Amino acid sequence: MAKILVVEDELDICNLIRVHLENDGNIVIQAFDGPTALSMVGAHRPDLIILDWMLPGMDGLAVCQEIRRDHLVPIIMLTARSEEIDRVLGLEVGADDYVVKPFGIRELLARVRSMLRRIEMDTRTVAPPATDVPAGIAVPPAREPVVRGPLHIDFADLRVTIGGQPVELTRREFDLLDLLASHPGRAFSREFLLDRVWGHDYDGFDRTVDSHIVRLRRKLGPTGEKIATVWGVGYRFLP
């Protein structure tokens, strides 16, 4: 059971989403404008937020930016803007996924379920490999560290540092950074990254890659700028 905040100024749409989310076993909180949404995030600590782009008082982009200052709660943005640059803008300010209006309620529910499953998996931070190995079992040598300027990826203890300072990543973020930084200059499609990092049987969306890249760039600070967007394709790590 998840606690979900729905921020939508159109009452009929907001109630429609609430009914279906509650039927799916969730607890739903509603807000109809930006400032109220911000106060509810602090008061109720939702597990996920569904956020409309066009809101009175404060638009969804501004709300998203404010939330991201203090919270890592996943955000699915609802938007009538279908241009790629608009969708990318939403992801860049901190949204994890987006649904274009008009949308089907089944699609929205599928994205919510997928996001909640991903939350469960992605909150697991990278754990060092086990050191107790039964006698007689050959242990393959660890890969050589990948060093890209101040970025240091150590595979012996699954540790990432920048300028000697540790960076805490989830396992997905670590694997994504590993793949990109180990092949500088090579462009990887979203589909390839999704298959290699999440697995071919993953039932999510390629927007998952975009949201992870945004979070990874944020965690890496200035070094995150080395992860470049290849428009119409995916991403690459600048050599």
Side-chain angles (χ1 to χ4, degrees), residues 87-95 213-214 217-218 229 231 235:
R87 299 195 299 267
V88 171
L89 179 60
L91 294 170
E92 289 289 350
V93 300
I213 290 292
V214 170
R217 284 171 173 161
R218 189 181 302 124
T229 300
W231 295 104
Y235 300 95

Side-chain angles (χ1 to χ4, degrees), residues 13-222:
I13 295 178
C14 196
N15 285 336
L16 175 68
I17 295 173
R18 175 183 58 79
V19 168
H20 283 275
L21 289 175
E22 288 178 342
N23 289 341
D24 226 23
N26 302 292
I27 298 172
V28 179
I29 309 161
Q30 293 173 294
F32 304 99
D33 59 71
T36 302
L38 288 176
S39 65
M40 285 189 167
V41 171
H44 296 279
R45 300 285 178 174
D47 300 304
L48 186 147
I49 299 172
I50 298 174
L51 176 64
D52 187 31
W53 185 310
M54 303 301 294
L55 292 169
M58 189 179 193
D59 68 41
L61 287 181
V63 172
C64 188
Q65 286 179 305
E66 286 297 318
I67 292 173
R68 279 289 169 260
R69 295 182 191 277
D70 302 302
H71 306 281
L72 290 176
V73 55
I75 298 172
I76 298 177
M77 184 163 282
L78 304 179
T79 174
R81 300 170 181 262
S82 58
E83 294 296 324
E84 181 179 15
I85 187 62
D86 292 320
R87 299 195 299 267
V88 171
L89 179 60
L91 294 170
E92 289 289 350
V93 300
D96 296 273
D97 198 358
Y98 55 87
V99 175
V100 177
K101 290 182 175 181
F103 59 86
I105 193 65
R106 290 183 180 179
E107 178 191 1
L108 179 60
L109 290 176
R111 292 187 183 280
V112 168
R113 292 168 188 151
S114 177
M115 185 70 69
L116 292 175
R117 286 194 298 270
R118 203 190 79 197
I119 294 168
E120 183 178 355
M121 295 186 66
D122 288 357
T123 49
R124 305 170 189 170
T125 54
V126 179
T131 55
D132 296 330
V133 180
I137 301 297
V139 180
R143 288 171 52 192
E144 289 295 318
V146 169
V147 180
R148 302 285 180 257
L151 174 67
H152 191 282
I153 306 175
D154 191 338
F155 300 98
D157 57 5
L158 299 180
R159 179 181 172 88
V160 173
T161 58
I162 296 179
Q165 297 300 312
V167 180
E168 185 173 299
L169 301 179
T170 68
R171 184 63 205 225
R172 302 288 197 202
E173 292 164 348
F174 182 92
D175 291 344
L176 192 56
L177 179 62
D178 169 21
L179 182 58
L180 292 170
S182 295
H183 302 85
R186 177 178 171 182
F188 291 96
S189 69
R190 291 173 176 83
E191 293 77 11
F192 184 88
L193 293 172
L194 198 62
D195 181 70
R196 285 292 298 270
V197 176
W198 280 263
H200 67 276
D201 57 346
Y202 179 69
D203 61 352
F205 307 90
D206 59 4
R207 297 168 195 178
T208 296
V209 176
D210 295 328
S211 62
H212 273 72
I213 290 292
V214 170
R215 290 189 180 194
L216 189 53
R217 284 171 173 161
R218 189 181 302 124
K219 289 185 177 183
L220 296 177

